[in-house]
Amino acid sequence: MGPPGRQPRPCLLLLLVLSCFQTSLSLEWIPYKPQITAWNLEGKVTATTFSLEQPRCVFDGHANAKDTIWLVVAFTNASRDFRNPQTLADIPLSPRMLTDLHFMTLPLSLDQLPCEDPVGVSGSSPLLRVGNDFGCHQQPYCNVPLPGPGPYSVKFLLMDVGGAPKAETEWSDPITLHQGKAPSSIDTWPGRRSGCMIVIASILSSLVGLLLLAFLAASTVRFSSLWWPKEAPEHLRIGSFMGKRYVTHHIPPSEAATLPVGCEPGLDPLPSLSP
């Protein structure tokens, strides 16, 4: 027996085990695995974000109007060590991501996840974009850009108004973000290229050369006629002459001039004045 007023250590361990066992029994498991949205969208996965399908109708029958659906984001290798918080004060925040290797964000109510497809109504795709809150507008549960390529795993956790967990989904498959390459790491040396690339480059270079030669030849023929006139026809060469028929315009006869008496047509001419 220990000192008066102190419970034995085995009793404390037993109470802890019973508490954990009771919590696990009260927590419902939902056979749903979060995944990247299937919508044909650009940038579903970037260097700091990824887009998930919204868990529509997943928590129907498990949640009431006052419950909250949380998204748990964790590094894949640390997801097994995650323990569901029991109160709102225990919810891990995004600034502790690099130390705790997980955080919770995007608290949603049940009425924000209706079963109806919103695309036909508002034109927006039903997705959750993780890491999209660059300015941390949703404090204190910021949906901050993810710090690295990951891989990450996520799950949805249903909590009541006091922060006690009620239901959870499966962890998603590992999600790896895109990584940009440094310009210095890009190999531009042609010796590292494949044989097909070398052959294609050679053929294209030959075609360009042939087209350039054809253009130069056509340009030479076209402009040579401007600098050197064509050879004159044979009948215009020096030393030969060929006349051309010249047709005059028709000139109508003018009226006959008044002749002196005796000079009418058909009469003898005037007598000669010579002896």
Side-chain angles (χ1 to χ4, degrees):
M1 296 294 294
R6 176 179 295 180
Q7 295 180 349
R9 186 177 298 274
C11 294
L12 290 176
L13 295 177
L14 181 60
L15 290 175
L16 181 60
V17 171
L18 289 176
S19 177
C20 294
F21 182 72
Q22 183 179 3
T23 301
S24 62
L25 288 179
S26 62
L27 185 64
E28 297 185 54
W29 180 77
I30 299 176
Y32 172 79
K33 180 181 290 187
Q35 60 184 358
I36 297 294
T37 179
W39 289 83
N40 187 17
L41 300 174
E42 294 291 339
K44 292 191 292 187
V45 178
T46 67
T48 57
T49 66
F50 59 87
S51 300
L52 294 174
E53 290 183 352
Q54 293 183 359
R56 296 181 175 271
C57 302
V58 173
F59 293 95
D60 286 1
H62 304 277
N64 55 46
K66 295 183 178 181
D67 293 339
T68 305
I69 301 170
W70 293 81
L71 177 69
V72 183
V73 184
F75 286 100
T76 300
N77 56 2
S79 59
R80 294 184 177 181
D81 300 329
F82 177 78
R83 296 293 178 264
N84 295 326
Q86 301 301 312
T87 63
L88 294 177
D90 298 332
I91 293 178
L93 304 179
S94 55
R96 295 159 50 185
M97 176 64 177
L98 295 178
T99 55
D100 295 349
L101 305 181
H102 55 256
F103 73 102
M104 294 174 60
T105 185
L106 294 177
L108 299 171
S109 59
L110 193 62
D111 60 352
Q112 292 178 294
L113 300 172
C115 294
E116 293 79 10
D117 190 354
V119 175
V121 179
S122 61
S124 60
S125 301
L127 55 85
L128 294 177
R129 194 160 186 85
V130 183
N132 198 39
D133 190 5
F134 292 90
C136 193
H137 300 291
Q138 194 176 4
Q139 295 186 7
Y141 310 111
C142 302
N143 181 24
V144 296
L146 299 175
Y152 300 94
S153 295
V154 297
K155 74 173 181 178
F156 292 103
L157 181 64
L158 177 66
M159 303 178 68
D160 61 18
V161 67
K166 296 177 60 177
E168 65 178 351
T169 66
E170 301 180 36
W171 286 99
S172 69
D173 293 330
I175 301 172
T176 302
L177 304 183
H178 295 321
Q179 277 188 291
K181 290 185 177 180
S184 58
S185 65
I186 300 176
D187 184 15
T188 58
W189 176 249
R192 298 286 183 91
R193 302 186 182 276
S194 62
C196 293
M197 291 295 296
I198 296 176
V199 171
I200 293 174
S202 302
I203 293 175
L204 292 177
S205 300
S206 301
L207 291 176
V208 171
L210 292 176
L211 290 175
L212 181 61
L213 290 176
F215 175 76
L216 292 176
S219 300
T220 302
V221 173
R222 175 67 180 85
F223 289 102
S224 62
S225 61
L226 300 177
W227 296 98
W228 292 279
K230 295 182 179 179
E231 185 178 3
E234 183 177 359
H235 65 276
L236 295 180
R237 293 178 183 176
I238 299 176
S240 65
F241 175 79
M242 179 179 294
K244 292 185 178 180
R245 182 181 179 183
Y246 181 77
V247 179
T248 61
H249 294 285
H250 176 70
I251 302 175
S254 59
E255 296 182 359
T258 304
L259 298 177
V261 177
C263 295
E264 288 83 357
L267 297 179
D268 293 337
L270 294 175
S272 176
L273 298 178
S274 59

PDB file of all heavy atoms in Angstrom, residues 133-148:
ATOM      1  N   ASP A 133      -4.185  28.637 -48.399  1.00  0.00           N
ATOM      2  CA  ASP A 133      -4.354  29.869 -47.620  1.00  0.00           C
ATOM      3  C   ASP A 133      -2.992  30.523 -47.389  1.00  0.00           C
ATOM      4  O   ASP A 133      -2.379  30.386 -46.332  1.00  0.00           O
ATOM      5  CB  ASP A 133      -5.038  29.550 -46.283  1.00  0.00           C
ATOM      6  CG  ASP A 133      -5.452  30.807 -45.535  1.00  0.00           C
ATOM      7  OD1 ASP A 133      -5.289  31.906 -46.093  1.00  0.00           O
ATOM      8  OD2 ASP A 133      -5.935  30.681 -44.397  1.00  0.00           O
ATOM      9  N   PHE A 134      -2.511  31.262 -48.389  1.00  0.00           N
ATOM     10  CA  PHE A 134      -1.180  31.855 -48.298  1.00  0.00           C
ATOM     11  C   PHE A 134      -1.127  32.977 -47.266  1.00  0.00           C
ATOM     12  O   PHE A 134      -0.089  33.210 -46.658  1.00  0.00           O
ATOM     13  CB  PHE A 134      -0.750  32.394 -49.674  1.00  0.00           C
ATOM     14  CG  PHE A 134      -0.497  31.315 -50.689  1.00  0.00           C
ATOM     15  CD1 PHE A 134      -1.520  30.850 -51.496  1.00  0.00           C
ATOM     16  CD2 PHE A 134       0.754  30.751 -50.830  1.00  0.00           C
ATOM     17  CE1 PHE A 134      -1.299  29.855 -52.436  1.00  0.00           C
ATOM     18  CE2 PHE A 134       0.999  29.757 -51.762  1.00  0.00           C
ATOM     19  CZ  PHE A 134      -0.038  29.307 -52.563  1.00  0.00           C
ATOM     20  N   GLY A 135      -2.216  33.679 -47.081  1.00  0.00           N
ATOM     21  CA  GLY A 135      -2.221  34.775 -46.126  1.00  0.00           C
ATOM     22  C   GLY A 135      -2.718  34.404 -44.748  1.00  0.00           C
ATOM     23  O   GLY A 135      -2.852  35.279 -43.891  1.00  0.00           O
ATOM     24  N   CYS A 136      -2.991  33.113 -44.516  1.00  0.00           N
ATOM     25  CA  CYS A 136      -3.476  32.626 -43.217  1.00  0.00           C
ATOM     26  C   CYS A 136      -4.703  33.424 -42.774  1.00  0.00           C
ATOM     27  O   CYS A 136      -4.753  33.983 -41.688  1.00  0.00           O
ATOM     28  CB  CYS A 136      -2.378  32.695 -42.165  1.00  0.00           C
ATOM     29  SG  CYS A 136      -2.764  31.773 -40.647  1.00  0.00           S
ATOM     30  N   HIS A 137      -5.708  33.475 -43.647  1.00  0.00           N
ATOM     31  CA  HIS A 137      -6.928  34.218 -43.342  1.00  0.00           C
ATOM     32  C   HIS A 137      -7.858  33.434 -42.416  1.00  0.00           C
ATOM     33  O   HIS A 137      -8.712  34.035 -41.769  1.00  0.00           O
ATOM     34  CB  HIS A 137      -7.651  34.571 -44.642  1.00  0.00           C
ATOM     35  CG  HIS A 137      -6.831  35.412 -45.578  1.00  0.00           C
ATOM     36  ND1 HIS A 137      -6.493  36.725 -45.305  1.00  0.00           N
ATOM     37  CD2 HIS A 137      -6.262  35.120 -46.781  1.00  0.00           C
ATOM     38  CE1 HIS A 137      -5.767  37.213 -46.295  1.00  0.00           C
ATOM     39  NE2 HIS A 137      -5.610  36.265 -47.202  1.00  0.00           N
ATOM     40  N   GLN A 138      -7.713  32.114 -42.386  1.00  0.00           N
ATOM     41  CA  GLN A 138      -8.598  31.297 -41.563  1.00  0.00           C
ATOM     42  C   GLN A 138      -7.900  30.961 -40.236  1.00  0.00           C
ATOM     43  O   GLN A 138      -7.563  29.819 -39.960  1.00  0.00           O
ATOM     44  CB  GLN A 138      -8.985  30.015 -42.311  1.00  0.00           C
ATOM     45  CG  GLN A 138     -10.156  29.270 -41.682  1.00  0.00           C
ATOM     46  CD  GLN A 138     -10.558  28.065 -42.512  1.00  0.00           C
ATOM     47  OE1 GLN A 138      -9.930  27.743 -43.508  1.00  0.00           O
ATOM     48  NE2 GLN A 138     -11.614  27.391 -42.106  1.00  0.00           N
ATOM     49  N   GLN A 139      -7.654  31.963 -39.449  1.00  0.00           N
ATOM     50  CA  GLN A 139      -6.990  31.748 -38.164  1.00  0.00           C
ATOM     51  C   GLN A 139      -7.988  31.214 -37.133  1.00  0.00           C
ATOM     52  O   GLN A 139      -9.186  31.534 -37.189  1.00  0.00           O
ATOM     53  CB  GLN A 139      -6.375  33.064 -37.680  1.00  0.00           C
ATOM     54  CG  GLN A 139      -5.256  33.573 -38.565  1.00  0.00           C
ATOM     55  CD  GLN A 139      -4.580  34.796 -37.979  1.00  0.00           C
ATOM     56  OE1 GLN A 139      -4.849  35.204 -36.856  1.00  0.00           O
ATOM     57  NE2 GLN A 139      -3.673  35.397 -38.742  1.00  0.00           N
ATOM     58  N   PRO A 140      -7.501  30.413 -36.174  1.00  0.00           N
ATOM     59  CA  PRO A 140      -6.111  29.964 -36.000  1.00  0.00           C
ATOM     60  C   PRO A 140      -5.802  28.681 -36.765  1.00  0.00           C
ATOM     61  O   PRO A 140      -4.684  28.180 -36.687  1.00  0.00           O
ATOM     62  CB  PRO A 140      -6.031  29.713 -34.495  1.00  0.00           C
ATOM     63  CG  PRO A 140      -7.397  29.241 -34.141  1.00  0.00           C
ATOM     64  CD  PRO A 140      -8.343  29.981 -35.029  1.00  0.00           C
ATOM     65  N   TYR A 141      -6.786  28.164 -37.506  1.00  0.00           N
ATOM     66  CA  TYR A 141      -6.593  26.871 -38.182  1.00  0.00           C
ATOM     67  C   TYR A 141      -6.239  27.122 -39.644  1.00  0.00           C
ATOM     68  O   TYR A 141      -6.997  26.804 -40.560  1.00  0.00           O
ATOM     69  CB  TYR A 141      -7.852  26.023 -38.057  1.00  0.00           C
ATOM     70  CG  TYR A 141      -8.370  25.937 -36.639  1.00  0.00           C
ATOM     71  CD1 TYR A 141      -9.564  26.566 -36.277  1.00  0.00           C
ATOM     72  CD2 TYR A 141      -7.655  25.256 -35.655  1.00  0.00           C
ATOM     73  CE1 TYR A 141     -10.028  26.500 -34.971  1.00  0.00           C
ATOM     74  CE2 TYR A 141      -8.126  25.190 -34.350  1.00  0.00           C
ATOM     75  CZ  TYR A 141      -9.310  25.814 -34.009  1.00  0.00           C
ATOM     76  OH  TYR A 141      -9.769  25.756 -32.717  1.00  0.00           O
ATOM     77  N   CYS A 142      -5.077  27.704 -39.873  1.00  0.00           N
ATOM     78  CA  CYS A 142      -4.669  28.132 -41.210  1.00  0.00           C
ATOM     79  C   CYS A 142      -4.418  26.924 -42.115  1.00  0.00           C
ATOM     80  O   CYS A 142      -3.811  25.931 -41.697  1.00  0.00           O
ATOM     81  CB  CYS A 142      -3.402  28.981 -41.135  1.00  0.00           C
ATOM     82  SG  CYS A 142      -3.578  30.449 -40.096  1.00  0.00           S
ATOM     83  N   ASN A 143      -4.852  27.081 -43.334  1.00  0.00           N
ATOM     84  CA  ASN A 143      -4.604  26.080 -44.369  1.00  0.00           C
ATOM     85  C   ASN A 143      -3.382  26.533 -45.175  1.00  0.00           C
ATOM     86  O   ASN A 143      -3.473  26.907 -46.337  1.00  0.00           O
ATOM     87  CB  ASN A 143      -5.848  25.949 -45.255  1.00  0.00           C
ATOM     88  CG  ASN A 143      -5.683  24.919 -46.345  1.00  0.00           C
ATOM     89  OD1 ASN A 143      -4.873  24.001 -46.235  1.00  0.00           O
ATOM     90  ND2 ASN A 143      -6.450  25.078 -47.419  1.00  0.00           N
ATOM     91  N   VAL A 144      -2.226  26.486 -44.530  1.00  0.00           N
ATOM     92  CA  VAL A 144      -1.006  27.087 -45.078  1.00  0.00           C
ATOM     93  C   VAL A 144      -0.428  26.223 -46.200  1.00  0.00           C
ATOM     94  O   VAL A 144      -0.705  25.026 -46.296  1.00  0.00           O
ATOM     95  CB  VAL A 144       0.049  27.263 -43.966  1.00  0.00           C
ATOM     96  CG1 VAL A 144      -0.428  28.234 -42.911  1.00  0.00           C
ATOM     97  CG2 VAL A 144       0.401  25.913 -43.336  1.00  0.00           C
ATOM     98  N   PRO A 145       0.394  26.831 -47.080  1.00  0.00           N
ATOM     99  CA  PRO A 145       1.095  26.034 -48.096  1.00  0.00           C
ATOM    100  C   PRO A 145       1.961  24.963 -47.442  1.00  0.00           C
ATOM    101  O   PRO A 145       2.583  25.188 -46.406  1.00  0.00           O
ATOM    102  CB  PRO A 145       1.934  27.081 -48.833  1.00  0.00           C
ATOM    103  CG  PRO A 145       1.215  28.370 -48.620  1.00  0.00           C
ATOM    104  CD  PRO A 145       0.615  28.284 -47.256  1.00  0.00           C
ATOM    105  N   LEU A 146       2.010  23.812 -48.055  1.00  0.00           N
ATOM    106  CA  LEU A 146       2.718  22.675 -47.486  1.00  0.00           C
ATOM    107  C   LEU A 146       4.225  22.854 -47.638  1.00  0.00           C
ATOM    108  O   LEU A 146       4.712  23.289 -48.683  1.00  0.00           O
ATOM    109  CB  LEU A 146       2.258  21.390 -48.163  1.00  0.00           C
ATOM    110  CG  LEU A 146       0.760  21.121 -47.986  1.00  0.00           C
ATOM    111  CD1 LEU A 146       0.340  19.906 -48.789  1.00  0.00           C
ATOM    112  CD2 LEU A 146       0.401  20.944 -46.522  1.00  0.00           C
ATOM    113  N   PRO A 147       4.985  22.492 -46.598  1.00  0.00           N
ATOM    114  CA  PRO A 147       6.427  22.791 -46.579  1.00  0.00           C
ATOM    115  C   PRO A 147       7.288  21.706 -47.223  1.00  0.00           C
ATOM    116  O   PRO A 147       8.128  21.097 -46.563  1.00  0.00           O
ATOM    117  CB  PRO A 147       6.715  22.896 -45.088  1.00  0.00           C
ATOM    118  CG  PRO A 147       5.780  21.920 -44.465  1.00  0.00           C
ATOM    119  CD  PRO A 147       4.530  21.947 -45.298  1.00  0.00           C
ATOM    120  N   GLY A 148       7.109  21.456 -48.484  1.00  0.00           N
ATOM    121  CA  GLY A 148       7.959  20.463 -49.120  1.00  0.00           C
ATOM    122  C   GLY A 148       7.163  19.467 -49.937  1.00  0.00           C
ATOM    123  O   GLY A 148       5.925  19.459 -49.929  1.00  0.00           O
TER     124      GLY A 148
END
